[in-house]
């Protein structure tokens, strides 16, 4: 799959092994000196395989692993990566290989964006969330002072290499989380894709490689298409926030103990309910969205804290425009619209709807 961003264009390759990775690196004329950045979990599973393959193919490659977890997505880890770059005597032409989930991708990408004012990097995503969402689009960054992704840079990778076989070792809750963004892509942009995930849930849930490759490919093409039209999020790209206005607030309300994708699932139901109440979608569409989420194991009804508290979290959303909350609402499966005029009453009704 080709992501067309002019001079910053790159390919996304799909495979069920790492075998083709060295060839893919040579196809993009990767430099000899590489740093494979990964986290402590992925290090144990895949880092040696990838690093050995690179060394065998003549690269001067080293592994740098940091402790896994969102709580380590901060400046200390970035400095650690940059330190490893210096120790490995990397220069402007060297390259970082981000091997892991979204946390690795966001941080390795950010380190690549600032080391020597920017070096190249490639993404080798190993979670469903990163294979279907975060590895495409060029957003990199870290959390700071309780704010998620508040420091960062746009920095496009030179290549995304997706090995769907890595999903076999992924904990189930992480797989469900990734499905949140997958289902989201169907609802915002592609009703045929939504049909596909609705009809192939068995093959997807049992991690059939061929089905996963097909699913990831359509997924990335939807994300890439949106990003190509609006690289820096001035308009269209904001539709990717479907489910996120309420979803982020639920995530905060649960003190980040629920996965991101599961919260986005709840947020999508909330936003769809608002659309249903406005007569933008009918009841069967609302039910269909809920059913697909249910099929993939999402909790849709939750014990929310006090509505005012959750609403308070929404007010901190960094995607507000001129103080107004931005909502993405479905008009049908495959199409959404953006609005800033959703009232507090409508939001509270949505909270009631998603509460047990
Ligand atoms: P993650 O990177 O923390 O991975 C989740 C867990 O799975 C970690 O413990 C990790 O070590 C482990 N893991 C990764 N691959 C594995 C594998 N193949 N087998 C077993 N375990 C594995 O989290 P994530 O959900 O991939 O990404 C979330 C991050 O992505 C958040 O920080 C979020 O802000 C970011 N994000 C970025 C964008 C973007 O556009 N840049 C978009 C969405 C999300
Ligand atoms: Zn998301």
């Amino acid at each position: 799959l080709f992501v067309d961003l002019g001079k910053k264009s790159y390919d996304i390759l799909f495979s069920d092994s790492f075998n083709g990775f060295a060839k893919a690196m040579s196809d993009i004329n990767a430099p000899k000196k590489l740093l494979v950045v990964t986290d402590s979990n992925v290090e144990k599973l895949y880092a040696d395989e990838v690093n050995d393959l690179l060394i065998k193919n003549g690269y001067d490659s080293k592994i740098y692993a940091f402790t896994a977890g969102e709580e380590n997505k901060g400046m200390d880890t970035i400095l650690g990566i940059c330190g490893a770059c210096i120790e490995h005597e990397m220069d402007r032409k060297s390259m970082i290989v981000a091997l892991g989930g979204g946390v690795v991708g966001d941080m390795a990408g950010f380190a690549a964006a600032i080391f020597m004012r920017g070096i190249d990097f490639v993404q080798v995503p190993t979670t469903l969330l990163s294979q279907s969402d975060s590895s495409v689009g060029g957003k990199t960054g870290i959390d700071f002072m309780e704010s998620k992704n508040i420091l960062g840079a746009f920095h496009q990778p030179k290549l995304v290499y997706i090995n769907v076989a890595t999903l076999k070792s992924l904990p189930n809750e992480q797989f469900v989380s990734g499905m949140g963004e997958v289902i989201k892509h169907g609802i915002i942009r592609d009703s045929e894709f939504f049909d596909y995930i609705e009809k192939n849930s068995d093959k997807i849930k049992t991690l059939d490689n061929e089905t996963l490759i097909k699913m990831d490919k359509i997924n990335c093409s939807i994300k890439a298409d949106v990003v190509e039209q609006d690289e820096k999020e001035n308009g269209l790209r904001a539709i990717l926030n479907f489910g996120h206005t309420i979803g982020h607030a639920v995530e905060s309300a649960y003190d980040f103990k629920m996965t991101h994708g599961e919260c986005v699932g709840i947020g999508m139901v909330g936003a769809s309910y608002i659309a249903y109440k406005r007569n933008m979608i009918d009841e069967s569409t609302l039910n269909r969205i809920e059913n697909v989420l249910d099929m993939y194991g999402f909790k849709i009804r939750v014990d929310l804290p006090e509505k005012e508290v959750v609403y308070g979290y929404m007010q901190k959303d960094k995607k507000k425009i001129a103080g107004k909350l931005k909502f993405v609402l479905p008009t049908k499966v495959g199409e959404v619209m953006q609005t800033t005029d959703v009232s507090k009453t409508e939001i509270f009704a949505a909270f009631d709807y998603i509460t047990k």
Side-chain angles (χ1 to χ4, degrees):
L1 183 75
F2 181 68
V3 185
D4 188 358
L5 293 169
K7 278 191 187 145
K8 290 179 278 182
S9 298
Y10 57 92
D11 280 315
I12 307 176
L13 304 178
F14 302 86
S15 177
D16 56 7
S17 78
F18 286 119
N19 296 342
F21 183 53
K23 160 95 171 41
M25 290 295 273
S26 106
D27 287 348
I28 58 162
N29 291 316
K32 286 283 159 264
K33 200 157 288 262
L34 304 173
L35 185 72
V36 177
V37 175
T38 191
D39 72 21
S40 47
N41 294 330
V42 181
E43 181 189 25
K44 288 183 213 117
L45 294 162
Y46 306 111
D48 284 339
E49 183 183 348
V50 170
N51 194 49
D52 291 352
L53 181 81
L54 291 168
I55 290 171
K56 218 168 71 195
N57 282 274
Y59 293 97
D60 177 11
S61 178
K62 273 214 164 85
I63 300 169
Y64 179 78
F66 60 85
T67 312
E70 180 79 29
E71 61 279 13
N72 298 307
K73 193 174 164 186
M75 210 33 126
D76 289 349
T77 307
I78 295 298
L79 297 179
I81 299 170
C82 292
C85 288
I86 294 170
E87 275 170 18
H88 190 32
E89 297 178 337
M90 292 178 48
D91 61 25
R92 274 196 188 84
K93 296 265 175 277
S94 309
M95 209 184 243
I96 287 179
V97 176
L99 174 69
V103 169
V104 169
D106 278 14
M107 279 204 287
F110 186 48
I114 61 172
F115 184 70
M116 293 190 150
R117 300 198 183 85
I119 62 169
D120 288 337
F121 84 116
V122 302
Q123 294 265 25
V124 187
T126 62
T127 61
L128 182 58
L129 186 129
S130 55
Q131 293 186 355
S132 59
D133 187 2
S134 65
S135 67
V136 183
K139 282 191 184 179
T140 72
I142 55 167
D143 308 332
F144 182 55
M145 286 176 75
E146 319 263 293
S147 291
K148 278 202 59 168
N149 302 323
I150 194 84
L151 303 180
F154 280 100
H155 194 48
Q156 300 291 344
K158 286 282 153 194
L159 165 77
V160 181
Y161 186 93
I162 293 178
N163 170 7
V164 295
T166 56
L167 299 181
K168 303 234 167 0
S169 57
L170 197 66
N172 183 57
E173 61 158 23
Q174 294 298 338
F175 188 80
V176 174
S177 178
M179 277 311 294
E181 308 284 356
V182 173
I183 295 166
K184 178 193 82 180
H185 286 143
I187 300 172
I188 63 174
R189 214 62 183 152
D190 192 336
S191 63
E192 239 177 81
F193 181 52
F194 191 83
D195 291 344
Y196 184 80
I197 42 189
E198 198 172 39
K199 294 205 179 89
N200 291 280
S201 69
D202 284 346
K203 280 190 183 160
I204 293 170
K205 285 196 283 189
T206 53
L207 306 178
D208 172 61
N209 281 342
E210 211 178 301
T211 311
L212 289 175
I213 287 178
K214 182 159 181 201
M215 180 178 90
D216 270 357
K217 219 181 228 172
I218 303 174
N219 233 314
C220 289
S221 71
I222 294 170
K223 172 107 192 233
D225 179 51
V226 172
V227 172
E228 276 167 8
Q229 292 184 50
D230 177 19
E231 193 191 343
K232 302 259 159 97
E233 194 163 332
N234 299 312
L236 180 73
R237 189 168 179 162
I239 68 171
L240 296 169
N241 295 323
F242 174 52
H244 284 63
T245 315
I246 293 178
H248 279 146
V250 173
E251 221 176 340
S252 300
Y254 276 86
D255 200 18
F256 295 91
K257 300 236 160 38
M258 270 171 82
T259 62
H260 174 71
E262 193 149 41
C263 296
V264 170
I266 294 164
M268 291 194 287
V269 173
S272 302
Y273 181 74
I274 293 171
Y276 162 66
K277 278 296 185 191
R278 288 184 170 202
N279 290 318
M280 289 164 51
I281 58 169
D282 55 21
E283 196 172 8
S284 67
T285 307
L286 175 64
N287 290 338
R288 205 175 153 212
I289 291 171
E290 283 186 38
N291 283 341
V292 168
L293 288 165
D294 183 55
M295 211 180 263
Y296 284 95
F298 282 77
K299 284 194 277 304
I300 296 168
R301 301 284 184 284
V302 282
D303 281 317
L304 276 187
E306 184 66 27
K307 286 196 271 267
E308 285 290 348
V309 175
V310 188
Y311 191 69
Y313 287 123
M314 286 175 78
Q315 301 305 318
K316 290 193 195 152
D317 198 316
K318 70 174 186 291
K319 295 207 165 119
K320 281 201 319 194
I321 323 174
K324 287 196 163 153
L325 278 172
K326 210 154 98 176
F327 264 91
V328 179
L329 302 179
T331 47
K332 59 180 180 197
V333 169
E335 197 182 272
V336 288
M337 53 91 82
Q338 301 183 42
T339 173
T340 51
D341 74 352
V342 177
S343 69
K344 191 172 173 181
T345 317
E346 287 177 288
I347 294 170
F348 275 28
F351 286 166
D352 281 333
Y353 188 70
I354 58 178
T355 302
K356 260 188 220 163

